[in-house]
Amino acid sequence: MARFSSLSFSRLLLSATGALAALTVDVDDVDSIKKAAALVAEDLMSFYTGEIPGLLPGPPPDGDYYQWTGGALWTAMLDYRSRTGDTQYDDKISEGLLFQRGPNEDYLSPNWTATEGNDDQAIWAMAALLAAETNFTDPGVENLTYTSLAQNVFDEQSNEARRVQKGSCAGGLRWQIYITNNGYNFVSTLANVAYANLAARLSLQNGHNETQADAVEDTFSFLQDTKLIDSNFNVFDGTQATDCSEINKLQFSIGSALALESAAVMYNSTGGDKKWKLLVDGLAQKTLDVFFPSGVAKEVACEPDNCNTDMTFYKSFLHRSLASTIRVAPYTTDLILPVLKQSAAAAVKTCTLGDNGRMCGSIWSGDSDGQTGAGQQMSVLSALLSLLPEETVAKASNSSSGGSGTDSTTTPTDSSSQPSDTAGSSGAHTGVSAVIMLASLLLTSFLLN
């Protein structure tokens, strides 16, 4: 009589529950997107060990991930929470955001001074600000809010000590914070647009705060005057601090994405000011033209085979910033949303890798490189989330149990710009089906033995 091996049965069991199967998604169905996002989020969190709270394993050579990727992780998971209502990761998010805040409440931990740049610090601050924007659990520390953490970083990066003092690059934010670090004499466009993003969102949060709004104005003026953002809305990598005419013209999606989102937030907070609309229009079209050459996100500076680990995270920022642009500048929906849908559909098709058969790849258009990691998972997760509206999520308490409080928040969105809920199988129905199938498999196994 035929017999099942334990391995065959285990694989069949995993397949029946969806744990060993490539992901599928209907990008026009909210329930389908949420189910796929839940699995991608689960696999993303499998890279987080918590050995150093808040950080993915690293930095090199001890692990694959630099310190900034921790801030990127919690940004993605906060976005996941706000768009799906899933609060199961709240304790880990809270622990990560608070453990890495540093002794001066500014995300400058003494442990990472050798590698932390202004862009890294700003990415952590943006994670804290997203916690405030999405009504995440209060920190539970006296006189501390997530907004104040972001404000502290903004204040420090506004200081002249962080900036070039003389020459054609005067006023530009340096890449590195400390003079001893390699890159101190480089003006990174990413550092500057991350600062502008932080300033624009803080200004909006604070009722169009003039100091923060002026900081965004000054940053864009600097970037355009130096041609780091040129007249065709290309966003270049950076320049040597000694001479802003020596521009590195590589383009990375994270820089364009954060520049676009910053301009869109300013368009919103100024009531549709013409200057910001022109920037939104130009940056949105150029971002789509450069980084979605076939309608699918591509890191053009390094794909298909030259991306380092950092670069695998960039498409996460790309999709999320485009979704944010739709939210604060709804007139861009018809331009952006169809591309996000096409790109997300292609991204999910890469999720056939790994031992569970659903880990996601780096290359969304063209042949797979077979590479998996936290950056790949985060990018596909953000691609899926970019199709979902933000939800009203109950604010959890500060207890470790993660219980719910009574406060809630929601961000208005144009419902026509997001997939609609359709009548389909709910999570409960899926669970029942799985139980029935598992019972059938168990009975089959018993009879065959």
Side-chain angles (χ1 to χ4, degrees), residues 26 29-32 35 420-430:
D26 178 352
D29 184 330
V30 166
D31 285 342
S32 176
K35 287 171 188 174
S420 61
D421 286 300
T422 60
S425 60
S426 67
H429 293 160
T430 303

Side-chain angles (χ1 to χ4, degrees), residues 219-230:
T219 300
F220 271 91
S221 293
F222 168 79
L223 293 170
Q224 291 179 292
D225 289 346
T226 57
K227 304 297 189 291
L228 287 169
I229 298 178
D230 72 7

Side-chain angles (χ1 to χ4, degrees), residues 52-136:
I52 302 177
L55 300 184
L56 290 162
D62 298 325
D64 292 333
Y65 304 105
Y66 281 102
Q67 181 257 8
W68 76 272
T69 63
L73 172 63
W74 305 125
T75 298
M77 295 309 295
L78 283 161
D79 195 35
Y80 170 73
R81 179 188 191 270
S82 73
R83 294 181 187 273
T84 66
D86 184 352
T87 60
Q88 66 173 299
Y89 302 107
D90 279 12
D91 287 348
K92 290 180 179 179
I93 296 170
S94 179
E95 178 187 49
L97 289 175
L98 295 176
F99 192 89
Q100 292 298 325
R101 71 187 192 273
N104 297 316
E105 321 285 19
D106 59 358
Y107 289 110
L108 280 185
S109 170
N111 293 331
W112 312 114
T113 54
T115 60
E116 186 170 4
N118 282 303
D119 50 352
D120 307 323
Q121 186 190 26
I123 286 169
W124 275 97
M126 287 190 287
L129 187 53
L130 185 59
E133 291 167 341
T134 58
N135 204 38
F136 185 62

